[in-house]
Amino acid sequence: MAAIVKQPMLLGYHAAIHEVNFADEAMGLLGNQEACKDQFALGYLHKCAALNGFTWIVNMSTKYIADPRITRFLCAAPPNAILWDYIESLGQEVDDEYWNQVLTIMNQFLSPEDLERCVSKLNNNGRFASAFNTMLYKLDYVSASTILNTLQGLIRHPSEVGTEADVSVYNVKVVFSKLDALYPDPATMVRLEWAYFQLLNEEDHERPVTYLFQALRDDPGFFSQLITWIGRPEGGDSELEIVGMEPPAIQQRARNADQVIQAWNLLPGQSESREIDHEKLAEWCTMAIAACQEKDRTRLGYNRIGQLFGQLRDGDEHWPQAAICSVMEFYNHDEMKRGFYSGVINGHGVKVNFRSGDSGAALEKAKAEKYRSLAAGIAIEHTVVNSLLLQVAQMYDGYSRQVAEQDAQRE
């Protein structure tokens, strides 16, 4: 029957409830090549252990201590500290085998105290995916160091045989929020946010990327390091910088660095009110460009700084701030201007008044007028940014004409 039911473990569980007495036969089924029989035996022995208590577990273990299936039997028993202490008394080999095999589905019933010990033991045995899934059951009772060890272990070993970590966007953000309250070490959090950036950067307001962006703001050298990972040196070979790295890892690092800079949402010297301290921004740019020069990525450094300035953050009504315009004016560098133009085109865009009944051509025209208006507001003091905004306006004028022509052809 175990071979034809969808949940053989549940069948075994109910067999034990109805006092079908074949514990010895169930022991013989453990580890069977037919998975359904192994699962039936696990369910049966699990319920027997729950019904008969710890003494029954010890008696069965003593009876089968020389049987290679003893560890599988112990894995069937309901997990708790008393069981684990007993397993440790059986020797290191049995203890290691147990933690390498134990099914984490049963860990949802652990007490808060036992959960911490369980996650730590799974980590110690390299089962980081199982540890992550287990600690989600009662995250409030897991220590900062254990959460940290689990997240760091998952970076090196993201999966294990038969188990995938449930690293959904929601779960990762929940874990990071908990870690924020327990382990606010900036350097460690920067490394973790870098490793989990793709998940943390998903569009929602629950636990956004924080420490990584603060590091960019506070350390121009970190910005230059990301620039190094994005592009090759301008006058030499990058082979010495990637020794020991496989091409997929190099490409992934470059993508991550590129997306981190693109997602950066608070410029150096910028307050939460979006105002920017010109002196702090200018100082950061000087140091960042010098660091990029040392790494032979001067043009790329200028370009990415220009992109940062050009990206409109959430329809920022203060943009382009005087501090941005002044820095652009001071450098007047071609790559910085190219980057600014690119950032404007690929950024969030300006807010324009647009009615649902208006044509696509009208929308493009409204964008052109908006950028033309912004340019007019800074025409006298900031000619560099003024010129760039006029170029953007001209581009949208062209789009407007193209859309109008396409609409006319369809009519």
Side-chain angles (χ1 to χ4, degrees):
M1 184 178 290
I4 62 175
V5 298
K6 293 182 178 180
Q7 295 180 300
M9 184 178 289
L10 189 60
L11 177 63
Y13 184 92
H14 284 290
I17 293 176
H18 290 88
E19 299 182 1
V20 178
N21 185 19
F22 49 82
D24 292 324
E25 289 82 353
M27 284 293 298
L29 293 175
L30 287 175
N32 194 285
Q33 291 183 346
E34 295 183 49
C36 58
K37 294 181 179 180
D38 174 66
Q39 294 296 305
F40 173 84
L42 283 172
Y44 177 84
L45 293 169
H46 171 78
K47 189 57 180 177
C48 284
L51 291 172
N52 297 313
F54 181 65
T55 300
W56 182 85
I57 296 173
V58 173
N59 289 338
M60 286 290 291
S61 299
T62 302
K63 182 177 181 180
Y64 289 97
I65 193 64
D67 193 305
R69 289 166 293 197
I70 182 62
T71 304
R72 193 69 174 158
F73 165 72
L74 293 169
C75 288
N80 55 57
I82 296 175
L83 174 70
W84 298 334
D85 289 340
Y86 172 68
I87 291 172
E88 286 185 358
S89 74
L90 298 178
Q92 189 66 50
E93 183 177 354
V94 174
D95 188 57
D96 288 342
E97 288 181 359
Y98 172 84
W99 289 106
N100 283 328
Q101 296 180 29
V102 66
L103 301 175
T104 57
I105 190 174
M106 298 179 185
N107 293 340
Q108 59 186 304
F109 305 112
L110 290 172
S111 69
E113 298 78 13
D114 289 348
L115 188 80
E116 165 76 17
R117 179 176 175 181
C118 178
V119 175
S120 296
K121 292 288 281 189
L122 290 169
N123 281 337
N124 292 341
N125 283 269
R127 297 184 64 188
F128 301 106
S130 293
F132 183 87
N133 295 344
T134 296
M135 73 180 185
L136 291 175
Y137 292 126
K138 298 183 179 73
L139 190 59
D140 287 341
Y141 299 99
V142 184
S143 68
S145 60
T146 300
I147 296 175
L148 180 62
N149 289 339
T150 304
L151 290 175
Q152 291 175 330
L154 269 180
I155 297 170
R156 302 187 303 272
H157 306 286
S159 63
E160 60 189 73
V161 177
T163 302
E164 293 290 334
D166 188 11
V167 285
S168 65
V169 171
Y170 174 79
N171 285 340
V172 168
K173 292 199 172 196
V174 166
V175 172
F176 268 76
S177 296
K178 180 62 178 178
L179 198 55
D180 285 336
L182 298 175
Y183 197 92
D185 174 61
T188 301
M189 295 304 294
V190 167
R191 291 191 292 271
L192 285 177
E193 286 192 345
W194 166 262
Y196 291 89
F197 174 77
Q198 300 299 328
L199 292 166
L200 293 172
N201 194 46
E202 288 290 325
E203 291 288 343
D204 63 45
H205 300 289
E206 296 293 331
R207 205 334 182 144
V209 178
T210 304
Y211 292 92
L212 198 56
F213 292 156
Q214 289 175 356
L216 278 170
R217 180 196 64 194
D218 298 338
D219 184 6
F222 182 45
F223 171 82
S224 71
Q225 183 62 67
L226 296 188
I227 292 296
T228 300
W229 293 341
I230 293 172
R232 294 176 177 273
E234 291 155 10
D237 196 337
S238 61
E239 289 301 317
L240 293 177
E241 299 173 349
I242 56 176
V243 172
M245 293 186 67
E246 295 295 328
I250 297 169
Q251 295 164 6
Q252 178 56 45
R253 186 177 68 175
R255 283 193 296 268
N256 219 44
D258 184 51
Q259 291 172 13
V260 166
I261 291 180
Q262 288 188 36
W264 187 14
N265 57 8
L266 200 63
L267 293 176
Q270 189 170 25
S271 65
E272 295 294 336
S273 65
R274 315 306 292 179
E275 294 299 321
I276 303 174
D277 185 314
H278 172 262
E279 184 176 335
K280 290 182 179 178
L281 179 62
E283 180 184 9
W284 184 92
C285 289
T286 299
M287 297 174 67
I289 291 170
C292 289
Q293 288 174 334
E294 290 179 4
K295 298 179 183 298
D296 196 20
R297 269 88 167 179
T298 305
R299 292 195 298 272
L300 184 56
Y302 274 115
N303 184 278
R304 289 313 174 92
I305 291 174
Q307 282 190 33
L308 287 171
F309 292 166
Q311 291 172 175
L312 288 180
R313 303 300 185 174
D314 302 319
D316 188 351
E317 63 182 12
H318 301 292
W319 184 91
Q321 291 91 333
I324 288 177
C325 296
S326 296
V327 172
M328 291 290 298
E329 203 79 25
F330 174 78
Y331 286 106
N332 195 21
H333 192 281
D334 287 344
E335 279 299 328
M336 185 177 281
K337 289 188 284 188
R338 290 191 189 96
F340 183 90
Y341 182 86
S342 174
V344 173
I345 299 302
N346 297 315
H348 293 292
V350 294
K351 292 181 178 179
V352 297
N353 294 323
F354 182 69
R355 294 170 299 185
S356 60
D358 290 343
S359 66
L363 173 60
E364 300 305 323
K365 191 65 176 177
K367 291 179 182 178
E369 291 302 324
K370 180 66 174 182
Y371 281 112
R372 196 171 284 112
S373 174
L374 289 172
I378 58 173
I380 298 176
E381 295 184 14
H382 305 296
T383 57
V384 171
V385 176
N386 166 267
S387 175
L388 291 167
L389 292 178
L390 288 176
Q391 291 177 39
V392 174
Q394 291 170 4
M395 184 201 71
Y396 281 112
D397 280 334
Y399 285 167
S400 177
R401 289 190 295 271
Q402 290 176 16
V403 174
E405 291 172 1
Q406 292 168 359
D407 289 344
Q409 291 174 0
R410 283 193 291 265
E411 292 177 354

